[in-house]
């Protein structure tokens, strides 16, 4: 049987010239690592596949696996997180390179942040322009001269990779503040195991289910000195946050309390949690709220999400905040362009994974090029995440191009530009057409780092742009996801 031509689900699938297809080769043959999976899927009739798809969707709904997309519904109404049953498969030998690259990057970023807040040697050596750092909105003056426990700043990193037309992986951006999405990795895996249990058992797929236990180990490893049995909590902005499902899922999986700011208070520079048994001292706060809202006595005075006085307790070494405040300066998209130099400077190594070529609009030569080649570029705000504010030149009207030029000229430091990278394609089931079609995907990896603990989640979250031709894969922009299988022979 020739699955791609004989299966109703795949019969109209066509690879695209000049773009990397994860599943099919240019001659439409199935790539070896996918042969068994495509064979199993192609044996299904459309009705059988629809039944399995509905089963998976009901499973997600019953578990409350939802996401709010503010751009589509500003009132934050939640919807089922779209999930495509055909997994993305990465061979172990490819994953080994990605894993080493993630650990190298995490180590370099911690050294960079420690230096930035404790000596600024990299600035004195003119590796990174001083003005670039000082103009970052995420530089935190309250971290000056302070070193967190274990010298760890980025305990949890979410780094996005793409695979270009040349088949190579490139780093698209770093997320070092409150990266989200890991709960969907675990939910996707559970859905696959329930829906295709026999198929799943045929493969030696690397497990992802130990993530919560390793995360708890990381939190405990960076507790304040002298604490033998640390009390950890997860601090959420509340039920109206787009990632609230993830907050509650992780807290429950780790066996720690899920708290809001009103559940905590500071007394004599120690943090306490209100419980039915009375106050309980808290040692580690995995906070899922931004720096600005952490402490109204230090940051935004109008914040009701944070805990008054928590920064003072943190500076006194009585509580650990995860991630550390001020890490956002390292995932500023203009600073991202210097990560290769940061790796060379601190580790004396060449970067294992390359950045996407990036132009800084704050520099005159780069800015001029960007303005002259806007239709060929993707422009991003340096301090946004989740796909918000991304401008794709090839899709823009003349008026939109002119408006974007005005934005860049008004605040050049606030924008970077990248060539339109041909994100790889992956066969994805399109419900409206009852068949698989190619859709663009990327990969969010999750790296954990604590005192004597480092870990990269095997596979991460493969995000898929469900709209034909779209390059925006973010879940916050209506994208979906796939289970990611790391397999060995």
């Amino acid at each position: 049987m020739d699955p791609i031509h004989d299966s109703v689900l795949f019969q109209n699938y066509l690879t695209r010239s000049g773009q990397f297809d994860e599943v099919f080769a240019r001659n439409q043959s199935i790539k070896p690592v996918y042969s068994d999976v495509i064979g199993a899927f192609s044996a299904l009739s459309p009705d059988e596949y629809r039944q399995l798809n509905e089963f998976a969707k009901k499973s997600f709904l019953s578990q409350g696996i939802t996401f709010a997309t503010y751009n589509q519904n500003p009132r934050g109404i939640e919807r089922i997180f779209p999930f495509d049953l055909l997994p993305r498969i990465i061979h172990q030998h490819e994953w080994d390179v990605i894993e080493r690259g993630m650990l190298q990057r995490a180590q370099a970023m911690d050294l960079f942040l420690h230096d930035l807040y404790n000596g600024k040697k990299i600035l004195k050596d003119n590796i990174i322009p001083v003005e670039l750092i000082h103009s970052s909105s995420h530089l935190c003056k309250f971290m000056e001269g302070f070193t967190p426990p274990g010298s760890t700043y980025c305990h949890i990193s979410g780094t996005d990779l793409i695979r270009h037309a040349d088949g190579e992986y490139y780093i698209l951006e770093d997320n070092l503040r409150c990266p989200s999405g890991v709960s969907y990795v675990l939910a996707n895996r559970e859905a696959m195991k329930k829906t295709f249990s026999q198929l799943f058992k045929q493969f030696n797929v690397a497990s992802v289910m130990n993530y919560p236990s390793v995360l708890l180990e990381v939190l405990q490893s960076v507790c304040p000195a002298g604490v033998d049995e640390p009390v950890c909590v997860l601090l959420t902005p509340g039920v109206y946050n787009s990632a609230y499902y993830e907050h509650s899922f992780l807290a429950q999986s780790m066996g720690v309390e899920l708290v809001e700011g009103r559940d905590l208070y500071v007394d004599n520079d120690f943090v306490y949690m209100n419980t039915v048994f009375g106050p309980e001292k808290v040692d580690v706060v995995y906070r899922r709220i931004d720096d600005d809202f952490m402490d109204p006595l230090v940051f935004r005075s109008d914040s009701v999400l944070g805990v008054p006085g928590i920064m003072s307790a943190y500076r006194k070494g009585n509580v650990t905040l995860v991630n550390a405040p001020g890490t956002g300066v390292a995932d500023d998209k203009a600073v991202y362009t210097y990560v290769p130099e940061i790796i060379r400077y601190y580790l004396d190594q060449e970067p294992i994974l390359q950045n996407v070529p990036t132009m800084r609009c704050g520099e005159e030569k780069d800015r001029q090029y960007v303005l002259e080649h806007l239709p060929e570029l993707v422009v991003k705000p340096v301090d946004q995440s989740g796909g918000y504010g991304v401008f794709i030149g090839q899709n823009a009207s003349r008026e939109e191009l002119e408006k974007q030029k005005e934005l860049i000229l008004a605040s050049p430091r606030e924008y970077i530009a990248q060539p339109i990278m041909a994100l790889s394609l992956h066969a994805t089931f399109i419900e409206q057409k009852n068949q698989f079609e190619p859709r663009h995907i990327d990969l969010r990896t999750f790296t954990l780092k604590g005192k004597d603990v480092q870990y990269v989640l095997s596979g991460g979250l493969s995000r898929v742009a469900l709209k034909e031709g779209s390059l925006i894969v973010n879940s916050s922009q209506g994208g979906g996801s796939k289970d990611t299988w790391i397999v060995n022979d």
Side-chain angles (χ1 to χ4, degrees):
M1 183 178 179
D2 178 356
I4 196 168
H5 292 111
D6 295 343
S7 167
V8 175
L9 293 173
F10 292 96
Q11 63 183 353
N12 296 318
Y13 194 96
L14 293 174
T15 57
R16 296 176 182 173
S17 177
Q19 300 193 44
F20 188 90
D21 194 299
E22 300 278 351
V23 183
F24 297 102
R26 291 179 182 174
N27 63 2
Q28 302 289 89
S29 63
I30 305 168
K31 293 183 177 177
V33 74
Y34 277 93
S35 59
D36 290 341
V37 168
I38 295 298
F41 274 67
S42 62
L44 298 169
S45 70
D47 282 345
E48 289 172 327
Y49 185 85
R50 273 197 299 273
Q51 289 177 17
L52 292 170
N53 198 36
E54 287 301 314
F55 174 79
K57 287 165 67 175
K58 288 179 181 176
S59 172
F60 273 61
L61 184 62
S62 65
Q63 295 177 68
I65 303 171
T66 57
F67 203 92
T69 53
Y70 296 125
N71 65 326
Q72 293 177 358
N73 57 86
R75 299 176 67 179
I77 299 172
E78 295 191 347
R79 64 188 179 96
I80 299 173
F81 191 60
F83 172 61
D84 187 75
L85 285 169
L86 181 58
R88 184 213 197 133
I89 304 176
I90 300 174
H91 196 278
Q92 184 69 52
H93 72 80
E94 288 186 324
W95 180 252
D96 288 343
V97 177
I98 294 173
E99 185 176 77
R100 287 192 293 110
M102 291 301 102
L103 293 176
Q104 179 193 55
R105 204 169 180 94
Q107 184 183 6
M109 296 310 258
D110 262 352
L111 292 169
F112 170 58
L113 284 162
H114 181 265
D115 183 20
L116 209 56
Y117 288 118
N118 287 278
K120 300 178 175 53
K121 188 169 182 295
I122 195 169
L123 304 184
K124 294 171 183 172
D125 287 343
N126 297 317
I127 305 299
I128 299 178
V130 173
E131 60 273 17
L132 184 73
I133 299 299
H134 286 177
S135 60
S136 172
S137 60
H138 297 296
L139 184 68
C140 181
K141 65 180 182 181
F142 300 100
M143 291 298 290
E144 291 284 347
F146 178 74
T147 300
S151 294
T152 306
Y153 292 76
C154 303
H155 311 82
I156 303 144
S157 307
T159 301
D160 297 340
L161 290 89
I162 62 165
R163 204 175 202 183
H164 188 44
D166 59 7
E168 298 295 326
Y169 288 97
Y170 292 86
I171 304 285
L172 187 62
E173 63 184 49
D174 299 293
N175 297 277
L176 305 176
R177 286 169 279 170
C178 299
S180 64
V182 73
S183 61
Y184 303 115
V185 177
L186 277 61
N188 290 351
R189 178 59 52 84
E190 282 298 309
M192 281 302 298
K193 289 165 72 174
K194 290 178 180 175
T195 311
F196 285 96
S197 56
Q198 293 303 316
L199 177 67
F200 188 84
K201 290 176 182 175
Q202 295 177 25
F203 290 83
N204 182 22
V205 182
S207 176
V208 297
M209 305 313 289
N210 62 338
Y211 180 88
S213 63
V214 181
L215 175 59
L216 181 60
E217 183 183 358
V218 166
L219 300 183
Q220 293 171 335
S221 76
V222 294
C223 70
V227 176
D228 294 328
E229 297 183 11
V231 173
C232 307
V233 298
L234 193 155
L235 176 60
T236 176
V239 296
Y240 295 109
N241 184 266
S242 63
Y244 182 74
Y245 160 74
E246 175 157 303
H247 303 166
S248 59
F249 174 87
L250 288 175
Q252 185 176 28
S253 300
M254 290 190 291
V256 307
E257 293 293 333
L258 178 67
V259 298
E260 297 183 25
R262 59 189 175 182
D263 298 318
L264 303 178
Y265 67 94
V266 176
D267 183 25
N268 198 25
D269 287 327
F270 285 89
V271 178
Y272 293 90
M273 167 173 55
N274 288 312
T275 78
V276 294
F277 304 106
E280 182 174 9
K281 187 168 75 71
V282 172
D283 304 299
V284 182
V285 177
Y286 174 22
R287 49 92 176 207
R288 293 294 297 257
I289 64 178
D290 292 337
D291 289 3
D292 282 350
F293 301 96
M294 276 295 299
D295 185 342
L297 302 182
V298 172
F299 301 111
R300 284 182 54 162
S301 60
D302 60 343
S303 172
V304 295
L305 301 176
V307 184
I310 198 169
M311 281 300 292
S312 177
Y314 179 58
R315 292 273 312 191
K316 293 280 178 62
N318 295 332
V319 70
T320 301
L321 300 178
V322 174
N323 285 345
T327 55
V329 67
D331 76 9
D332 180 307
K333 291 181 178 60
V335 176
Y336 148 92
T337 62
Y338 286 95
V339 173
E341 284 82 1
I342 290 172
I343 291 173
R344 295 186 186 100
Y345 183 76
Y346 293 108
L347 303 180
D348 194 24
Q349 300 172 2
E350 283 300 308
I352 295 171
L353 296 169
Q354 303 301 315
N355 278 9
V356 170
T358 304
M359 286 150 280
R360 297 180 286 267
C361 295
E363 296 184 9
E364 185 175 353
K365 185 179 177 182
D366 282 4
R367 181 170 63 251
Q368 192 60 36
Y369 181 89
V370 170
L371 294 174
E372 292 174 357
H373 297 82
L374 208 49
E376 306 160 22
L377 300 171
V378 176
V379 179
K380 300 177 181 178
V382 298
D383 59 352
Q384 295 286 316
S385 59
Y388 293 106
V390 173
F391 174 86
I392 301 177
Q394 67 180 10
N395 298 334
S397 65
R398 180 175 298 178
E399 290 75 18
E400 290 169 332
L401 288 167
E402 289 304 316
K403 184 179 179 181
Q404 188 62 42
K405 286 182 181 178
E406 291 175 5
L407 291 172
I408 293 172
L409 288 169
S411 305
R413 164 66 175 84
E414 300 306 311
Y415 292 95
I416 56 97
Q418 297 171 330
I420 299 174
M421 301 291 280
L423 275 64
S424 61
L425 295 161
H426 197 290
T428 302
F429 185 71
I430 306 302
E431 289 189 19
Q432 298 84 349
K433 299 181 179 179
N434 272 332
Q435 63 183 10
F436 282 88
E437 292 187 353
R439 290 293 185 270
H440 290 292
I441 60 170
D442 79 348
L443 178 65
R444 170 162 291 186
T445 62
F446 295 92
T447 303
L448 301 179
K449 190 170 180 295
K451 185 179 180 182
D452 303 323
V453 184
Q454 57 179 15
Y455 165 88
V456 182
L457 179 65
S458 293
L461 183 67
S462 286
R463 303 182 298 181
V464 54
L466 297 174
K467 185 179 178 182
E468 185 174 9
S470 174
L471 297 173
I472 304 294
V473 299
N474 304 75
S475 51
S476 55
Q477 302 290 307
S481 70
K482 290 173 168 289
D483 193 13
T484 308
W485 291 7
I486 307 302
V487 300
N488 218 327
D489 292 329

